[in-house]
Amino acid sequence: MLDHLRVANLGVIEDAALDPSPRFTVVTGETGAGKTLLLGGLRLILGGQADSNAVGPYGAESTIDGFFTHGDEEIGATRIIPGDGRSRAYLEGSIVSAATLTERLGSMVEIVGQHDQFAIARPSHLLEQLDGASTHQGTRDDYQKAWDRLQASLERQRQLGGDRIELTRELDLARYQAEEIAAARLEPGLDDELEGSVSRLRNVEEIREHLGETMNLAEQMSESIGEMVARLRKAVGLDPSLADLAREAEGIAAGVAELAREARGSEEDLDADPETLIELEERLTELGDLKRKYGRTLEEVIAYGDQTASRATELEELIADADEIDSIVARSRGEVADRAEDLSKVRNESAAAVSEEVASHLSDLGLGSAKVQIRLEKTDPGPSGADRPVLLFASDARLEPGPVGSVASGGELSRLVLALRLATRSESTTTLVFDEVDTGIGGSTALEMGKKLRALAAGGQVLCVTHLAQVAAHADTHYVVERADSGVATVRKVTDDDRVTEISRMLAGQPDSEAGQVAAFELLALASE
């Protein structure tokens, strides 16, 4: 939804802003006042082609700011058109390309005007409309599920690749690697533990020698520390405040004695065991070989073993499917074809009903002899089914309907968009902007168009540039573009008496005409019923 649009220094517009209603907003004004420039600014913020000739006389560049909401998402965008040089585009404050603006914002606003590309002519858009109008939503869901199953089976077939021998070779290798790693009974840190044990067994005699010398030194220290303790105890007898110092010395003596006992115990535990040493060295060699093949660390080897075990399981399943995958794909294709047929039947029913209702709306909008037909052409099955819809139109019942993009005028296309949206009754997050939708109509037809635009706005935001008071009277929010004697165009929101004055101007050409104001009051009252 478009929440805010600001246009600065674009043509005769010095600085103007719109805050459209979430429902129905109209923009009116004298011919040449600058209404089209507002829509031009909107096209630019949506990534349209920039023209430096459109830069106004009020500065060196044109600036267009837009603020959009889509659900809980808020998006700010800016387009700057310099008088000399390339345009710049910003999205949420970051510079982007104009194409990015189109990609991000294009689906939020659909402009329906004489020179715009119409979504109505796109097959994907028509399918969305038809499916939205159908009461058989489950049929589309059933097709989607069948299509997803086909894609899954095709992916499985692609993974098999038709080369069972190669898969079997890969399985044999994966099994061998997984089994080799599993047989090694690896645990994190095992290599560090083994290296410590091997180092101890390889150096038993040297370790025993160092421990023996440690005990000798501890014995010498014990004698010296014993003397120190005795001296301190005598000192305590003379000065009790030295008691803590004496206790500390006693602790040192006890620590040295404990160290000597532990060194003796470690020496006694030492035992040269050549056979165990050989076993441990062989185990370390085994771990080294595994690390050279499967990972730099033991943890990496363990992880690789888990991966190859999983791959082996996957390959076993693939090979088990190999004999059946072709028949699985064939069954999936058959199911897709069946569900596509069901979907086409539902869509044809929807197309007939929508075509009839569109024609009825067009009749109300001054195209009473128009013919409308939505024809479904068969295509290869795809994500959306096996149908390609074509919207056919003729402005006169005596003419053969043709593709709408080729045979309908801009005014007719605008009314077709309005009629199709009403016929499908689809609520939309897309803002519809109508430019010159009222071309060539007036009187009761114009009043009917106002009613229909208001009805359409009940399901989503509608913005309309119009010359018709009958259309403007139905709006929730009304803006007027005015051009001062100086040539500057301004935009203001009109309510209450100001709105009556503008409606009067549109009806009678005289804003202050008493008869025009009476007619304006009556028209606004009629529109509010």
Side-chain angles (χ1 to χ4, degrees):
M1 183 171 70
L2 175 64
D3 286 313
H4 178 76
L5 177 69
R6 175 179 172 266
V7 177
N9 195 31
L10 188 66
V12 295
I13 297 178
E14 182 175 7
D15 198 331
L18 286 180
D19 295 300
S21 160
R23 295 305 182 197
F24 185 24
T25 300
V26 293
V27 179
T28 64
E30 295 279 6
T31 301
K35 299 186 298 297
T36 25
L37 288 171
L38 285 175
L39 289 189
L42 182 56
R43 289 186 176 94
L44 287 169
I45 206 72
L46 297 175
Q49 185 173 357
D51 182 1
S52 59
N53 292 324
V55 176
Y58 312 108
E61 58 189 23
S62 301
T63 302
I64 302 94
D65 295 312
F67 187 76
F68 302 81
T69 56
H70 186 70
D72 295 332
E73 186 179 19
E74 297 181 340
I75 304 170
T78 297
R79 189 81 183 274
I80 296 176
I81 317 298
D84 183 17
R86 301 184 63 179
S87 69
R88 303 188 300 280
Y90 298 87
L91 195 63
E92 293 297 303
S94 298
I95 192 164
V96 297
S97 65
T100 300
L101 288 182
T102 302
E103 179 183 342
R104 187 72 185 279
L105 304 174
S107 62
M108 297 185 187
V109 179
E110 180 184 343
I111 300 179
V112 183
Q114 294 279 2
H115 306 293
D116 294 288
Q117 297 296 320
F118 290 90
I120 192 175
R122 294 200 303 267
S124 59
H125 178 82
L126 275 174
L127 278 183
E128 288 177 8
Q129 298 294 304
L130 288 178
D131 290 343
S134 174
T135 58
H136 301 280
Q137 294 298 320
T139 307
R140 172 65 185 265
D141 294 339
D142 290 343
Y143 176 83
Q144 188 63 57
K145 291 174 183 175
W147 176 258
D148 291 343
R149 284 192 289 270
L150 173 60
Q151 300 315 298
S153 61
L154 287 171
E155 175 61 19
R156 197 69 163 174
Q157 189 180 55
R158 186 196 65 76
Q159 290 176 344
L160 287 168
D163 192 347
R164 181 165 180 169
I165 294 176
E166 184 61 34
L167 286 174
T168 303
R169 286 174 179 165
E170 186 182 351
L171 174 60
D172 287 344
L173 177 60
R175 279 176 174 168
Y176 170 80
Q177 292 175 334
E179 290 170 0
E180 182 182 27
I181 294 171
R185 304 182 308 281
L186 302 180
E187 294 179 3
L190 178 60
D191 47 352
D192 293 335
E193 181 182 338
L194 289 175
E195 286 172 0
S197 299
V198 167
S199 178
R200 185 171 57 255
L201 289 172
R202 282 176 178 169
N203 300 284
V204 167
E205 293 304 323
E206 187 174 351
I207 295 170
R208 183 177 285 122
E209 180 182 344
H210 290 310
L211 287 174
E213 186 61 28
T214 297
M215 287 185 288
N216 289 335
L217 291 171
E219 186 176 345
Q220 294 173 18
M221 290 174 64
S222 293
E223 292 177 0
S224 298
I225 293 172
E227 179 63 26
M228 178 178 64
V229 169
R231 293 283 185 182
L232 284 171
R233 284 175 178 170
K234 290 179 180 179
V236 169
L238 301 173
D239 183 0
S241 66
L242 298 175
D244 288 343
L245 190 59
R247 282 193 290 273
E248 187 174 347
E250 291 168 353
I252 293 172
V256 171
E258 180 62 26
L259 175 63
R261 284 193 295 273
E262 290 180 1
R264 185 175 294 104
S266 295
E267 182 190 34
E268 291 172 353
D269 290 340
L270 283 174
D271 185 18
D273 189 345
E275 292 184 2
T276 299
L277 176 59
I278 292 172
E279 291 176 3
L280 294 180
E281 287 177 334
E282 289 176 349
R283 181 76 162 131
L284 271 179
T285 300
E286 178 189 14
L287 298 187
D289 291 341
L290 291 174
K291 285 193 283 188
R292 279 191 295 274
K293 288 192 287 186
Y294 304 125
R296 291 168 298 180
T297 67
L298 210 56
E299 287 73 16
E300 290 182 4
V301 175
I302 293 170
Y304 186 81
D306 293 338
Q307 293 171 9
T308 53
S310 296
R311 179 58 178 163
T313 301
E314 181 182 352
L315 288 167
E316 288 167 356
E317 293 173 356
L318 281 171
I319 292 172
D321 288 347
D323 296 332
E324 298 183 24
I325 192 63
D326 291 341
S327 60
I328 291 172
V329 169
R331 286 197 300 272
S332 297
R333 290 190 189 279
E335 184 185 9
V336 165
D338 291 342
R339 299 291 79 75
E341 192 66 31
D342 294 341
L343 185 56
S344 295
K345 181 179 178 181
V346 167
R347 282 174 170 167
N348 274 298
E349 294 173 358
S350 180
V354 168
S355 297
E356 183 177 348
E357 190 168 348
V358 167
S360 175
H361 285 301
L362 290 177
S363 178
D364 296 336
L365 295 171
L367 296 173
S369 61
K371 290 173 65 177
V372 178
Q373 179 186 357
I374 301 175
R375 185 176 67 204
L376 294 178
E377 299 176 346
K378 281 299 188 184
T379 64
D380 292 333
S384 301
D387 306 299
R388 184 181 184 277
V390 179
L391 180 60
L392 304 175
F393 173 79
S395 59
D396 192 295
R398 294 169 295 181
L399 301 175
E400 185 67 24
V404 65
S406 303
V407 301
S409 68
E412 290 167 341
L413 276 169
S414 299
R415 280 173 268 183
L416 267 171
V417 171
L418 175 57
L420 183 62
R421 288 297 181 100
L422 287 166
T424 55
R425 297 177 181 84
S426 55
E427 292 213 358
S428 176
T429 57
T430 300
T431 295
L432 278 175
V433 181
F434 289 95
D435 185 18
E436 300 184 19
V437 68
D438 51 16
T439 301
I441 67 171
S444 61
T445 301
L447 195 61
E448 190 63 34
M449 173 167 283
K451 291 179 182 178
K452 291 186 183 296
L453 285 166
R454 187 181 183 91
L456 180 62
Q461 187 181 47
V462 174
L463 181 64
C464 181
V465 175
T466 182
H467 296 279
L468 296 177
Q470 295 92 330
V471 171
H474 285 83
D476 299 292
T477 302
H478 189 159
Y479 283 90
V480 177
V481 181
E482 297 170 321
R483 194 163 178 179
D485 293 339
S486 63
V488 178
T490 59
V491 178
R492 65 186 178 94
K493 183 178 179 180
V494 292
T495 59
D496 302 327
D497 291 345
D498 285 343
R499 190 177 184 199
V500 172
T501 300
E502 173 62 11
I503 296 293
S504 175
R505 180 200 65 77
M506 298 175 75
L507 284 170
Q510 298 291 329
D512 299 323
S513 163
E514 184 177 346
Q517 296 222 354
V518 170
F521 271 117
E522 292 177 351
L523 182 57
L524 287 166
L526 179 63
S528 65
E529 292 179 355

